[in-house]
Amino acid sequence: MMARQAASLKAAPPALTAALRLVVSTPAQNPGQQTTQHEIITNLNSALDARRQRIIVSQTEVDSIKWWCLYLQAICELLVIALVHCDNRLGSAIAMGLFATGVATSVLLIAAHDRPFTGQISIAPTPLLQIMPDKEASR
């Protein structure tokens, strides 16, 4: 859902909300149960917050103005390198090649982290799916 940007912050997952309702509605008889109930509520709220954070990260992106600034800066730097080394063609080619490689690496890293749940270098839901209980085992 995050890769398709279909995840919403408006609707909480039914399983977590049901678990939270169950824990809150269960009366705690003694201090040990109160402590346990408090810890369960804290952990369920942490799970809901982690979900919110993942959805927020999935919907963020690097805006076009930042990309254009990066490209403009790279072009200006390449021009400066070319002008400084105009008397030495080999030195100019080496310096420009090294800088262009660094810029290309930076652009690739930014693009890879721009949309973390889409593309070939994406975060898969595998760890979350591994901790989900099997439907067969719960029957």
Side-chain angles (χ1 to χ4, degrees):
M1 289 178 68
M2 289 182 207
R4 295 185 311 267
Q5 290 190 342
S8 172
L9 290 172
K10 293 179 182 176
L16 281 176
T17 55
L20 194 56
R21 279 192 202 114
L22 176 68
V23 171
V24 170
S25 66
T26 304
Q29 306 292 331
N30 57 46
Q33 289 178 346
Q34 290 174 350
T35 303
T36 303
Q37 186 180 34
H38 177 71
E39 288 297 318
I40 291 172
I41 291 171
T42 301
N43 287 330
L44 287 173
N45 282 330
S46 295
L48 284 168
D49 187 53
R51 177 184 178 272
R52 282 186 216 101
Q53 292 301 318
R54 286 191 308 275
I55 291 172
I56 289 169
V57 166
S58 75
Q59 294 175 349
T60 59
E61 63 183 28
V62 178
D63 53 348
S64 61
I65 197 80
K66 291 177 185 171
W67 284 114
W68 284 110
C69 287
L70 177 65
Y71 295 142
L72 180 64
Q73 182 181 8
I75 291 168
C76 289
E77 291 294 326
L78 286 171
L79 285 173
V80 167
I81 291 171
L83 291 173
V84 167
H85 295 287
C86 65
D87 59 336
N88 183 358
R89 287 182 175 227
L90 179 62
S92 177
I94 291 171
M96 289 176 67
L98 288 172
F99 184 78
T101 303
V103 168
T105 303
S106 298
V107 167
L108 177 65
L109 285 173
I110 293 169
H113 291 97
D114 182 30
R115 307 298 294 224
F117 297 104
T118 59
Q120 291 185 350
I121 311 174
S122 63
I123 299 171
T126 309
L128 294 174
L129 293 174
Q130 289 175 351
I131 60 171
M132 290 182 65
D134 289 334
K135 291 181 180 179
E136 301 297 325
S138 62
R139 289 183 185 176

